C-alpha cells in the first residue's frame, strides 16, 4: 500500500484564492439567519435545523451535504418557501421571504414535470404564470429546449423521456423564468451513475451560461466537491452546521480532477465530518453475527 | 425462447392468448347455457306434452313436472288408458339460446300488447334519459364539490363527514319521499339516481384529488402559481384522467340504481318492459331485455374508454392497459 500524504483541504492555490476573493466581493444573494425548524415526532419533538446561519454570494455554487436526517431537505424546502420555519429568517437580496417566489427556482429529485404537458409546454408553464403572452412564452420555451439539446423532443410528453432528459427539462423549466437562485434537492439522486456524471458536467455548463446562484442538496461527496465553490456540511441531531468548506479544486472543473490531491483531501475531510469513525451509536452493524450463517470464505 | 407458463403472476400475456381468452370469457357461459338447454339429460326437470293421451287436464305444449308426468302415465297404463307423450324440457324461466336470440330481434318488432304502451326501443330510450339526467345533475354538483373537498382541508372537514353518513342510507329509502315531493313521473326516478350517485361521487372524487402528487403542486408554486391558478393549471388537469375513470365506474353504479328508480311512482322504462313480459310469461323477451341492458353498458363503457385513451394520450405511452 502506497502511503502518500494529502495536503490540507485548507491549502488553496492562487487561482482558487483569487476566485474566492472575487466571489466574496459580490453582493450577498442568500442570507440565512438563526434558522430553526422542529418536527413533532412520536417520541418528542425532533430538531431538524437548529440555529443555522450562513450566506451565499451572487453566482456562487453552494452545496449542502450531510448524513441522512441532518435536515438538508428541510433546509431547501424552507429556502423554497414550501415550509415555514419556527424561528429565524431567510433573506434573498436582503428581502425576507415568506413563501414560494419566482426569484427562486427549484428542481426536485422526482422531476415533477407536468405529465399532461409536453416538453415545450412544461417549460412555458412558469412564463405563463409570470403573465407573458402565449407566443412569447412559446418562443422563449423553444429556445430553452434547444439550449438543453432536446429539440427533437419538443412535443414529447414526460412519460416518453428518460430520467436524465426529464431532469434537463425540469432545469430548463425553472431557469426559463430567470430566477436569481436555483435550489436543487438531490436532483440527480434517482439517475444511474453514468447519466449522473453527464448531468453534472451539463449543469456546470448551464451555470456558466446563466447568471444564477445555485444551492445544491446532495449526499454524494464527489458530486458536492466536483460542482461546488463552497460546501456547507450539516450534522444530524440536531441539524447544525458542522463546517463550511471552501473547495480548493480549481475551475474549470473536469472529471480528471476526481483524483487530484486537493480533491481527495477535501473528500477525506468530508468523510471525517459525515461518517465520524468513533461514534457509531445509531447503527452498530452486527458483523459478528454473520459468522453464524456462513463460514468464512477467505 | 422459453415458453412462458400461462399462470405467471402479474405478467402480460401474448396478444393471441389475450384474444382467445377474451372470446372464451363470452363463449364459455353461452356454451354452458347451450348444454343445459339442448342436452336433455343435463337438467330438463320438465316434460313438454306432445300428445295429451287420456289425461283430461293436459294440453298441447304444456309443461309438466317429470315426476308428475311419469306417475300419471303409470296410472294410465295400469287403468288400460292411452298414456301421454312428451319431450324433456326446461322450465319456462330458462328459455333456450335460440329463442332468446330470436327475441333479441323480434322484441323490437313486436308491437306492445295494449295500445298506448311503449315499444321496447321507447322503453330503452326512457331508461337512458333517466340515467342521463340523474347522472348529469349529480355530476354538475358532485364533481366540483369533490374537487373542492380534495383540495381544501377546510371543505373536506366541513362537508365530508355528513356525506360519509348520508352515503350509507340506501337510495331506495327515499323513494316514497321523492314521490311525495316530485310527483309520480320522472322527477323521483331522477332523484333516486341522483341520491345514489351524488354522495359516492363527492367522496370518490375528493379521494382522487387527494391522490394527486403533491410535489406537482409544489413545483407549480416555485414557478409562480398561486391559489386558484394552481387548481386550474395543476389540480384539475392532474386528476383529469383518474376523474374520468371514476366517472365511468360511477356511471355503472347509476345503472344499478335505475331498476330501483323505475319502479318508483309509475313504472317505466326497461324495468317496466321486463316486468310486463314476465307477467305474460315471455321469458325469452325478459332475457333479451336483460342482455340488451348488458350490451348497452359494455358498449358505452368501451366507447368512453376509447374516448379516454384519446383524450389522455400522454398517459398511455408507457402504461400498458
Amino acid at each position: 500500500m502506497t502511503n502518500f500524504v494529502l495536503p490540507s483541504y485548507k491549502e488553496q492555490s492562487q487561482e482558487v484564492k483569487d476566485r474566492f476573493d472575487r466571489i466574496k466581493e459580490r453582493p450577498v444573494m442568500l442570507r440565512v439567519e438563526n434558522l430553526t425548524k422542529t418536527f413533532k415526532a412520536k417520541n418528542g419533538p425532533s430538531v431538524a435545523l437548529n440555529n443555522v446561519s450562513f450566506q451565499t454570494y451572487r453566482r456562487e455554487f453552494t452545496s449542502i451535504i450531510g448524513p441522512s436526517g441532518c435536515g438538508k431537505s428541510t433546509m431547501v424546502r424552507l429556502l423554497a418557501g414550501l415550509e415555514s420555519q419556527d424561528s429565524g429568517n431567510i433573506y434573498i437580496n436582503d428581502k425576507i421571504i415568506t413563501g414560494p417566489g419566482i426569484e427562486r427556482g427549484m428542481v426536485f429529485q422526482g422531476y415533477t414535470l407536468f405529465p399532461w404537458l409536453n416538453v415545450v409546454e412544461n417549460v412555458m408553464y412558469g412564463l405563463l404564470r409570470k403573465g407573458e403572452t402565449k407566443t412569447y412564452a412559446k418562443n422563449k420555451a423553444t429556445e430553452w429546449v434547444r439550449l438543453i439539446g432536446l429539440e427533437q423532443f419538443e412535443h414529447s410528453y414526460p412519460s416518453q423521456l428518460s430520467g436524465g432528459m426529464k431532469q434537463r427539462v425540469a432545469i430548463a423549466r425553472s431557469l426559463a423564468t430567470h430566477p436569481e437562485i436555483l435550489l436543487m434537492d438531490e436532483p440527480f439522486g434517482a439517475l444511474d451513475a453514468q447519466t449522473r456524471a453527464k448531468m453534472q458536467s451539463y449543469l456546470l455548463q448551464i451555470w456558466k451560461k446563466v447568471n444564477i446562484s445555485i444551492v445544491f442538496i446532495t449526499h454524494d461527496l464527489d458530486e458536492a466537491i466536483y460542482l461546488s465553490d463552497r460546501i456547507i456540511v450539516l450534522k444530524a441531531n440536531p441539524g447544525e452546521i458542522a463546517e463550511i468548506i471552501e473547495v480548493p479544486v480549481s475551475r474549470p472543473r473536469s472529471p480528471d480532477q476526481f483524483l487530484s490531491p486537493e480533491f481527495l483531501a477535501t473528500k477525506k475531510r468530508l468523510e471525517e465530518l459525515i461518517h465520524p469513525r468513533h461514534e457509531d451509536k445509531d447503527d452498530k452493524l452486527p458483523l459478528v453475527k454473520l459468522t453464524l450463517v456462513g463460514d468464512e470464505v477467505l | 425462447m422459453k415458453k412462458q407458463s400461462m399462470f405467471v403472476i402479474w405478467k402480460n400475456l401474448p396478444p393471441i392468448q389475450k384474444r382467445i381468452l377474451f372470446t372464451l370469457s363470452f363463449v364459455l357461459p353461452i356454451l354452458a347455457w347451450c348444454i343445459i338447454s339442448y342436452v336433455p339429460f343435463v337438467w330438463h326437470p320438465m316434460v313438454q306434452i306432445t300428445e295429451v293421451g287420456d289425461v283430461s287436464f293436459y294440453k298441447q305444449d304444456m309443461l309438466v313436472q317429470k315426476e308428475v308426468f311419469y306417475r300419471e302415465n303409470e296410472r294410465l297404463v295400469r287403468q288400460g288408458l292411452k298414456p301421454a307423450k312428451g319431450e324433456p324440457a326446461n322450465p319456462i324461466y330458462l328459455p333456450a339460446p335460440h329463442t332468446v336470440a330470436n327475441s333479441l330481434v323480434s322484441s323490437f318488432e313486436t308491437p306492445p300488447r295494449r295500445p298506448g304502451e311503449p315499444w321496447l326501443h321507447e322503453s330503452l330510450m326512457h331508461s337512458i334519459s333517466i340515467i342521463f339526467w340523474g347522472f348529469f345533475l349529480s355530476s354538475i354538483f358532485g364533481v366540483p364539490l369533490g374537487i373542492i373537498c380534495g383540495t381544501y382541508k377546510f371543505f373536506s372537514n366541513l362537508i365530508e363527514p355528513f356525506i360519509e353518513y348520508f352515503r350509507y342510507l340506501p337510495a331506495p329509502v327515499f323513494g316514497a319521499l321523492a314521490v311525495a315531493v316530485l310527483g309520480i313521473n320522472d322527477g323521483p326516478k331522477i332523484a333516486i339516481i341522483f341520491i345514489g350517485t351524488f354522495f359516492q361521487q363527492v367522496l370518490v372524487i375528493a379521494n382522487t384529488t387527494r391522490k394527486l402528487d403533491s410535489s406537482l403542486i409544489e413545483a407549480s408554486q416555485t414557478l409562480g402559481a398561486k391559489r386558484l391558478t394552481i387548481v386550474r393549471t395543476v389540480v384539475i388537469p392532474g386528476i383529469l384522467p383518474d376523474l374520468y375513470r371514476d366517472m365511468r365506474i360511477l356511471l355503472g353504479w347509476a345503472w344499478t340504481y335505475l331498476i330501483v328508480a323505475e319502479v318508483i311512482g309509475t313504472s317505466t322504462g326497461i324495468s317496466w318492459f321486463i316486468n310486463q313480459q314476465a307477467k305474460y310469461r315471455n321469458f325469452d323477451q325478459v332475457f333479451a331485455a336483460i342482455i340488451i341492458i348488458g350490451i348497452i353498458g359494455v358498449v358505452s363503457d368501451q366507447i368512453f374508454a376509447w374516448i379516454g385513451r384519446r383524450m389522455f394520450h400522454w398517459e398511455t405511452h408507457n402504461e400498458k392497459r
Side-chain angles (χ1 to χ4, degrees):
Chain A
M1 206 173 110
T2 39
N3 233 334
F4 59 93
V5 183
L6 288 173
S8 163
Y9 68 98
K10 286 190 169 161
E11 265 174 45
Q12 294 176 349
S13 67
Q14 198 55 44
E15 188 274 335
V16 174
K17 250 182 222 148
D18 288 348
R19 179 159 50 84
F20 276 113
D21 288 342
R22 283 200 304 277
I23 288 173
K24 284 169 192 167
E25 277 167 21
R26 294 180 202 150
V28 173
M29 186 71 236
L30 164 72
R31 189 149 54 86
V32 171
E33 267 181 11
N34 308 324
L35 204 60
T36 300
K37 174 80 180 174
T38 316
F39 287 105
K40 276 181 212 138
K42 271 181 199 156
N43 41 357
S46 81
V47 184
L49 291 172
N50 185 32
N51 224 6
V52 173
S53 302
F54 65 90
Q55 58 184 25
T56 73
Y57 301 90
R58 186 168 286 281
R59 272 186 74 67
E60 189 186 12
F61 200 124
T62 315
S63 283
I64 300 178
I65 198 167
S68 56
C70 71
K72 51 189 194 293
S73 270
T74 309
M75 171 67 83
V76 77
R77 290 177 63 78
L78 290 175
L79 295 180
L82 295 171
E83 268 171 50
S84 46
Q85 62 269 31
D86 300 340
S87 64
N89 283 317
I90 300 167
Y91 301 86
I92 304 279
N93 283 331
D94 284 327
K95 272 197 349 228
I96 284 195
I97 63 141
T98 52
I102 202 157
E103 78 287 350
R104 280 156 291 147
M106 172 124 174
V107 175
F108 300 78
Q109 180 176 359
Y111 315 129
T112 66
L113 295 180
F114 303 119
W116 58 91
L117 299 178
N118 67 28
V119 168
V120 171
E121 288 165 343
N122 260 290
V123 180
M124 281 166 72
Y125 186 91
L127 294 164
L128 292 177
R129 298 293 86 73
K130 239 176 146 181
E132 307 286 7
T133 65
K134 239 182 174 154
T135 349
Y136 175 83
K138 190 159 190 185
N139 289 337
K140 209 75 202 152
T142 313
E143 255 172 56
W144 272 101
V145 174
R146 300 245 157 89
L147 185 78
I148 57 169
L150 288 179
E151 53 267 50
Q152 291 152 284
F153 295 91
E154 272 181 358
H155 302 294
S156 301
Y157 286 88
S159 61
Q160 295 165 295
L161 305 180
S162 69
M165 291 199 252
K166 279 186 211 172
Q167 209 52 301
R168 269 145 82 184
V169 177
I171 292 170
R173 183 178 65 175
S174 39
L175 289 179
T177 51
H178 289 292
E180 298 185 73
I181 182 164
L182 184 63
L183 308 168
M184 305 184 86
D185 186 8
E186 304 206 26
F188 308 143
L191 303 175
D192 62 84
Q194 283 179 324
T195 315
R196 195 179 178 131
K198 260 190 223 158
M199 289 297 292
Q200 289 164 356
S201 308
Y202 190 75
L203 179 62
L204 285 179
Q205 281 173 35
I206 294 182
W207 179 58
K208 229 188 220 170
K209 286 182 195 162
V210 184
N211 178 13
I212 195 157
S213 319
I214 295 179
V215 174
F216 191 99
I217 309 290
T218 182
H219 59 257
D220 182 330
L221 307 184
D222 288 323
E223 186 170 72
I225 304 168
Y226 180 54
L227 297 174
S228 318
D229 291 315
R230 284 189 306 160
I231 300 173
I232 297 171
V233 186
L234 295 179
K235 62 186 181 64
N237 303 322
E240 285 172 348
I241 293 182
E243 188 173 344
I244 298 181
I245 292 177
E246 296 184 346
V247 179
V249 183
S250 60
R251 285 196 192 274
R253 302 268 162 87
S254 82
D256 306 336
Q257 289 166 313
F258 276 99
L259 294 174
S260 67
E262 56 274 22
F263 196 103
L264 293 175
T266 316
K267 189 168 176 182
K268 183 163 167 264
R269 178 59 186 158
L270 289 177
E271 292 271 14
E272 284 165 7
L273 288 167
I274 291 169
H275 313 289
R277 291 273 149 74
H278 44 279
E279 39 162 349
D280 261 347
K281 278 179 230 151
D282 305 345
D283 36 6
K284 276 182 216 136
L285 280 176
L287 280 173
V288 188
K289 283 186 184 162
L290 289 176
T291 55
L292 295 174
V293 289
D295 297 328
E296 272 181 60
V297 180
L298 290 175
Chain B
M1 209 176 81
K2 217 183 117 205
K3 198 159 183 282
Q4 188 189 308
S5 157
M6 287 200 284
F7 307 105
V8 190
I9 294 172
W10 271 79
K11 269 263 165 62
N12 263 330
L13 295 172
I16 308 161
Q17 245 183 54
K18 265 194 205 164
R19 238 168 286 150
I20 293 172
L21 291 175
F22 178 88
T23 318
L24 276 182
S25 80
F26 283 94
V27 166
L28 287 179
I30 292 174
L31 198 68
W33 186 17
C34 288
I35 289 171
I36 291 173
S37 299
Y38 299 132
V39 184
F41 51 83
V42 178
W43 192 35
H44 290 66
M46 313 293 278
V47 173
Q48 188 169 25
I49 306 296
T50 50
E51 256 176 60
V52 292
D54 282 337
V55 187
S56 55
F57 58 90
Y58 279 178
K59 277 186 205 131
Q60 191 70 21
D61 289 341
M62 187 182 178
L63 287 174
V64 184
Q65 295 257 322
K66 225 183 230 169
E67 300 90 67
V68 176
F69 179 81
Y70 287 124
R71 216 184 316 121
E72 201 62 19
N73 269 5
E74 258 174 51
R75 185 180 63 81
L76 292 169
V77 172
R78 251 189 282 119
Q79 297 176 352
L81 297 167
K82 194 181 163 209
K85 281 184 185 161
E87 280 168 2
N90 274 336
I92 187 152
Y93 55 80
L94 187 69
H98 71 273
T99 56
V100 174
N102 263 336
S103 307
L104 270 177
V105 183
S106 65
S107 59
F108 284 100
E109 292 163 350
T110 320
R113 286 225 178 168
R114 276 177 281 166
E117 283 181 349
W119 290 61
L120 173 57
H121 63 93
E122 287 170 330
S123 295
L124 276 173
M125 280 318 292
H126 191 263
S127 292
I128 290 172
S129 80
I130 296 283
I131 288 269
F132 172 81
W133 284 112
F135 193 72
F136 178 72
L137 289 174
S138 166
S139 301
I140 281 186
F141 299 102
V143 173
L145 201 58
I147 293 176
I148 288 168
C149 286
T151 310
Y152 301 103
K153 282 280 174 302
F154 176 87
F155 291 104
S156 166
N157 287 315
L158 177 69
I159 293 168
E160 280 184 56
F162 178 72
I163 289 186
E164 193 80 57
Y165 159 76
F166 211 100
R167 127 188 122 102
Y168 281 100
L169 307 179
V173 302
F174 296 95
L177 194 62
V179 170
V181 177
L182 298 163
I184 57 164
N185 293 320
D186 290 351
K189 300 177 204 304
I190 293 171
I192 295 299
I193 305 267
F194 181 94
I195 293 169
T197 312
F198 177 77
F199 298 97
Q200 312 282 354
Q201 198 167 31
V202 173
L203 295 176
V204 166
I205 290 174
N207 264 327
T208 294
T209 310
R210 276 191 283 270
K211 267 189 283 175
L212 180 71
D213 184 359
S214 63
S215 63
L216 291 181
I217 293 175
E218 289 177 348
S220 78
Q221 285 176 314
T222 65
L223 289 165
K226 298 213 162 64
R227 294 164 182 280
L228 280 180
T229 321
I230 298 175
V231 177
R232 182 172 58 83
T233 61
V234 181
V235 176
I236 292 175
I239 63 165
L240 217 50
D242 283 332
L243 183 101
Y244 188 81
R245 272 193 282 279
D246 289 345
M247 295 293 270
R248 271 171 57 201
I249 293 169
L250 286 161
L251 186 61
W253 290 1
W255 270 97
T256 61
Y257 283 108
L258 176 72
I259 305 304
V260 179
E262 283 186 334
V263 294
I264 287 168
T266 47
S267 179
T268 56
I270 193 70
S271 321
W272 172 84
F273 180 87
I274 289 174
N275 287 336
Q276 204 70 359
Q277 296 304 324
K279 259 183 227 160
Y280 301 142
R281 300 182 77 71
N282 292 337
F283 284 97
D284 48 338
Q285 305 257 353
V286 171
F287 272 74
I290 291 172
I291 289 171
I292 288 167
I293 295 179
I295 290 172
I296 292 176
V298 169
V299 169
S300 60
D301 190 63
Q302 285 307 305
I303 292 172
F304 288 133
W306 180 81
I307 294 172
R309 280 196 295 275
R310 299 293 301 263
M311 276 196 329
F312 311 116
H313 50 91
W314 67 82
E315 268 211 322
T316 47
H317 294 302
N318 57 352
E319 283 174 64
K320 292 179 201 90
R321 282 181 200 288

